[in-house]
Amino acid sequence: MNSRRQFIEGRLGTACNADDRFTPPGRLEARQDALEALQKGIDAIRPAFSQFENELTDVQKAKLGRVVNVSTEITAVAR
């Protein structure tokens, strides 16, 4: 019985220590991982978006620019 309790306590301790997302360094590391994933996503779609943008007419580019600026302003106000 005692060895079973020690096994369970050891597993719980390992599980709790492994999840350090609640410590300042752990939160920083999690945020850094999220930002790196976001950067990889941006890098993945950049060529396709650049090609799309290059195929737009000047009028279409202006409309797209207005939409992007409005969504950026809305995001800034929401923060």
Side-chain angles (χ1 to χ4, degrees), residues 45-62 64-65 68:
I45 65 168
R46 186 176 307 230
F49 187 77
S50 292
Q51 181 181 352
F52 165 77
E53 190 176 26
N54 289 336
E55 293 175 2
L56 295 176
T57 66
D58 289 338
V59 173
Q60 291 170 325
K61 287 180 183 179
L64 178 63
V68 170

Side-chain angles (χ1 to χ4, degrees), residues 22-43:
F22 300 109
T23 65
R27 287 194 311 266
L28 182 60
E29 184 177 346
R31 186 64 176 155
Q32 186 174 8
D33 291 345
L35 290 172
E36 288 173 2
L38 180 60
Q39 183 65 52
K40 286 179 183 178
I42 291 170
D43 291 343

Side-chain angles (χ1 to χ4, degrees), residues 9-21:
E9 288 174 352
R11 295 282 296 187
L12 287 174
T14 301
C16 292
N17 292 336
D19 187 13
D20 65 347
R21 293 175 298 163

